[in-house]
Amino acid sequence: MIHRRRVNTNLIAGCIITGLTVFIILVGYFWTPFDPAGMDASAINAAPGLPHLLGTDRFGRDTLSRIMQGAGATLRIAFFAVCIGAFAGTLIGGLTGYFGGILDELIMRLSDAVTAFPSVLLALVAVSIVGRGSDKLILVLGVLFIPSFARVVRGEFVKQQHRDYVKNARLMGVKDARIIFVHILPNISAVLLSSIAIGFNNAVLAEASMSFLGLGVAPTESASLGIMLKEAENSLMSAPWQALSAGFSIAILILGFSLISEGLGFNGIRSRTSKRRLRLNAENA
Amino acid sequence: MPKMLNESAQPAGEALLELRKLRVSFNDGRGGEVVRGIDLAMEEGETLGLVGESGSGKTVTALTIAGLLSENLVTVSGEIIFGGKDLLKCSRSELRALQGRDIGMIFQEPMTSLDPLMRIGFQVEEPLRLHTKLPYRERRKKALEVMGLVDLPEPSETYRKFPHQLSGGQRQRAMIASAFITHPKLLILDEPTTALDVTVQKQILDLLRTLNERHSVGLLFISHDLRVVRHICRKVAVMYQGEIVEYGDTAQVFSNPQHEYTQRLVAAVSAGRRVYD
């Protein structure tokens, strides 16, 4: 067998892009060039230049500062929504996949039903019930993400469950919980990680579209990329930099995560885990 | 002729395992009965070969004894007496204690029977972690001891390795070490050498034979390879379409097969016998 070190360009590029954006966002929490909410009547719809690097909006607010803050809000929502979805989804998918039976059928049919609706539509309904605000948006998106994670994890569990090492563990008398979390979970981590990265993408997009439709973050709460897009809509012709910079930020965020999930999913990273997996696959092939 | 086994092991001891009218059918709606009421007995320290073609029910029998078939999937009736208890009537926790400690199982494919992301040593000592209260140091010591016993090279190094770093034969040795660490009374071997090449096969068989002779572990050896069974088993049971059609001393069954199916089986491998002996 040939051990060639393949450089995983996708993963590296994804990590660099995501790392940079996260860094900028973190900086945005402590320092922005201007107050993101501070209006300046002397610089309304100012074009990019000095001192406003990305220009200003129709209230004279600095676009760069608002993006730094808004991307933070978007990322925060995406992060917690994915946390809820991935945690609950893994738990549900793991248990149903492992134990099977009627509960498994029931939950999977339920998730079929949920998946059948466009998720934004469901989110609209849910938000109109629970109300606006970033915390509520996190909750709604998180719950909506559960089925997709549950499905992926369940599939993997069903697959792993028939592997001999799981049978062997069961024969040894390993408790079910230990089999699920200590034996099977690490073995599906690659799949789980890449679906988490994809989940991030969906969450960022969902936040943006919900806020764009006026159902996400309240404009009084903080900036968010979706809100900025919405606000930029009116001055699209006269001051295109507002829409462009918000849209571009969304694209960059998503690009970073996509590259990471691509890198995790297909090539395996240069960490021990994936190298092992890679060799394993090569040997099995 | 291969050397007869078990001449040193205790004769006609207590029954270790007894199957009474064991029936297994799949709940797939068609009611396909895979095991049709078999009776089988094994003494302590005995080596019993269960042979038959694919689909004859031998693996299902093994999995049933080990309790590895999901209750949703199959319906089992009859009795499986192990150590004086009917396994089919035991509670889950009773089974857990009994099976993990006293029954070990080795699977066909050593590649998949070890957890790919767990160090070999941890997997070897896992039964101790589950069934004893030994502290880590003691477990490690025992694991290294058993790994040496099954001829794994440099146990302390292998202890830290991952399954993909071992060869197929070494993986199977690690499996055996893990199954053997609690000194079980019965090892179920489901085609343990099929995935290995012939020279390694021989080494693994010799290792199993040693374990049987020195530590009087009962071996239930499931195989379609008659040469392997001849090599290692004292008794043999031939399964055909879910029933046991012939049972007896290996030498007798093979030299003077009674059932038509056994005759065909023996005739089919008689060419290979010379090579193996």
Side-chain angles (χ1 to χ4, degrees):
Chain A
M1 217 178 61
I2 308 164
H3 287 283
R4 192 149 44 99
R5 285 216 163 180
R6 231 187 298 168
V7 181
N8 193 330
T9 24
N10 281 342
L11 191 74
I12 295 170
C15 284
I16 291 174
I17 293 174
T18 308
L20 277 178
T21 44
V22 168
F23 176 72
I24 291 172
I25 285 167
L26 283 180
V27 169
Y29 269 108
F30 302 106
W31 175 84
T32 48
F34 292 86
D35 177 5
M39 304 186 195
D40 181 356
S42 65
I44 284 176
N45 280 341
L50 285 173
H52 298 290
L53 283 178
L54 291 177
T56 61
D57 64 6
R58 64 195 163 109
F59 299 113
R61 296 176 296 192
D62 181 49
T63 309
L64 178 61
S65 306
R66 284 179 66 71
I67 283 197
M68 285 169 78
Q69 194 202 38
T74 301
L75 197 67
R76 190 179 70 92
I77 291 169
F79 178 79
F80 286 112
V82 167
C83 278
I84 294 176
F87 182 76
T90 305
L91 211 60
I92 293 174
L95 292 178
T96 55
Y98 184 78
F99 290 110
I102 295 175
L103 200 65
D104 176 38
E105 283 296 322
L106 214 69
I107 289 181
M108 282 303 126
R109 293 298 80 79
L110 188 72
S111 101
D112 280 343
V114 173
T115 328
F117 292 98
S119 54
V120 172
L121 187 69
L122 278 181
L124 287 181
V125 175
V127 164
S128 58
I129 294 170
V130 299
R132 296 182 67 170
S134 58
D135 295 341
K136 286 166 183 161
L137 189 60
I138 288 174
L139 198 68
V140 167
L141 290 180
V143 171
L144 281 180
F145 284 161
I146 293 175
S148 61
F149 282 104
R151 185 170 295 272
V152 170
V153 171
R154 178 189 172 273
E156 285 296 307
F157 262 77
V158 168
K159 205 159 76 187
Q160 296 285 334
Q161 208 190 351
H162 298 292
R163 295 272 166 90
D164 288 338
Y165 77 89
V166 176
K167 283 189 199 157
N168 190 35
R170 207 174 297 161
L171 175 66
M172 279 181 198
V174 182
K175 296 227 166 67
D176 290 328
R178 193 179 155 83
I179 294 183
I180 291 176
F181 294 110
V182 179
H183 288 282
I184 302 182
L185 205 55
N187 278 297
I188 67 165
S189 57
V191 178
L192 192 59
L193 282 178
S194 59
S195 51
I196 283 177
I198 294 170
F200 247 109
N201 280 345
N202 294 337
V204 167
L205 279 179
E207 188 283 327
S209 29
M210 297 289 288
S211 298
F212 184 80
L213 294 172
L215 290 164
V217 183
T220 47
E221 202 176 342
S222 84
S224 101
L225 295 178
I227 287 175
M228 293 185 66
L229 266 183
K230 171 79 181 161
E231 286 169 350
E233 197 190 0
N234 295 324
S235 43
L236 194 57
M237 301 311 277
S238 54
W241 50 86
Q242 296 166 21
L244 282 179
S245 36
F248 197 63
S249 313
I250 296 177
I252 291 272
L253 267 177
I254 288 179
L255 179 69
F257 292 128
S258 300
L259 286 173
I260 289 181
S261 76
E262 195 95 335
L264 285 174
F266 296 110
N267 288 327
I269 33 174
R270 290 169 77 178
S271 80
R272 284 212 318 256
T273 313
S274 300
K275 233 165 46 186
R276 245 169 359 215
R277 192 172 296 279
L278 202 68
R279 273 189 223 158
L280 225 74
N281 291 342
E283 273 168 38
N284 281 338
Chain B
M1 280 293 290
K3 197 182 124 225
M4 273 303 230
L5 284 187
N6 257 10
E7 278 154 3
S8 57
Q10 67 270 59
E14 212 179 308
L16 172 66
L17 174 75
E18 216 181 322
L19 308 181
R20 289 182 193 151
K21 301 252 174 303
L22 183 70
R23 289 175 179 276
V24 184
S25 55
F26 282 112
N27 303 336
D28 56 358
R30 282 170 293 172
E33 203 171 46
V34 190
V35 177
R36 305 175 178 198
I38 62 174
D39 293 284
L40 198 62
M42 256 183 95
E43 286 158 17
E44 278 190 26
E46 193 178 286
T47 48
L48 173 66
L50 196 54
V51 300
E53 62 195 357
S54 307
S56 60
K58 52 193 194 317
T59 297
V60 171
T61 307
L63 291 175
T64 309
I65 298 170
L68 289 177
L69 291 175
S70 151
E71 284 160 27
N72 303 328
L73 223 63
V74 292
T75 310
V76 183
S77 68
E79 286 172 50
I80 302 175
I81 315 283
F82 179 82
K85 279 187 186 163
D86 184 356
L87 293 186
L88 295 176
K89 291 204 183 79
C90 282
S91 71
R92 233 181 146 183
S93 56
E94 269 180 301
L95 274 184
R96 198 156 255 163
L98 204 67
Q99 291 178 327
R101 214 180 43 231
D102 292 341
I103 303 180
M105 183 154 180
I106 312 284
F107 298 90
Q108 178 173 349
E109 189 53 72
M111 188 61 240
T112 59
S113 47
L114 292 163
D115 184 338
L117 297 184
M118 205 182 238
R119 292 181 196 278
I120 295 292
F122 292 171
Q123 305 199 43
V124 170
E125 65 177 39
E126 179 129 28
L128 292 181
R129 189 164 30 221
L130 297 164
H131 298 289
T132 68
K133 290 200 173 88
L134 289 180
Y136 170 74
R137 265 168 204 285
E138 292 286 313
R139 290 202 306 256
R140 188 186 142 88
K141 212 179 108 195
K142 271 207 133 169
L144 292 178
E145 210 177 280
V146 175
M147 284 161 78
L149 194 76
V150 300
D151 293 328
L152 274 169
E154 296 171 66
S156 51
E157 258 179 54
T158 310
Y159 187 90
R160 299 187 42 75
K161 286 186 177 170
F162 287 99
H164 73 96
Q165 292 170 306
L166 304 186
S167 70
Q170 287 172 342
R171 280 185 213 129
Q172 204 60 303
R173 282 174 199 277
M175 273 304 293
I176 294 172
S178 166
F180 184 68
I181 196 164
T182 51
H183 292 277
K185 297 193 180 101
L186 175 65
L187 269 188
I188 302 172
L189 306 127
D190 187 3
E191 312 251 2
T193 55
T194 311
L196 307 172
D197 61 50
V198 178
T199 46
V200 181
Q201 255 183 31
K202 176 94 165 45
Q203 293 166 4
I204 295 289
L205 290 179
D206 288 343
L207 169 64
L208 289 172
R209 197 202 318 237
T210 315
L211 290 182
N212 173 258
E213 282 171 354
R214 297 225 184 106
H215 305 273
S216 68
V217 185
L219 302 180
L220 178 59
F221 203 102
I222 288 153
S223 184
H224 59 245
D225 191 339
L226 294 191
R227 293 169 298 168
V228 170
V229 170
R230 267 172 68 105
H231 189 66
I232 197 161
C233 297
R234 197 166 64 100
K235 291 267 174 69
V236 65
V238 182
M239 261 187 108
Y240 182 61
Q241 295 189 342
E243 286 169 30
I244 289 180
V245 294
E246 193 154 359
Y247 169 81
D249 284 337
T250 310
Q252 222 165 21
V253 171
F254 284 154
S255 58
N256 186 19
Q258 299 296 313
H259 193 272
E260 188 210 356
Y261 173 69
T262 320
Q263 290 167 0
R264 277 190 286 142
L265 259 188
V266 173
V269 291
S270 55
R273 185 197 295 167
R274 222 162 291 127
V275 181
Y276 211 79
D277 294 347

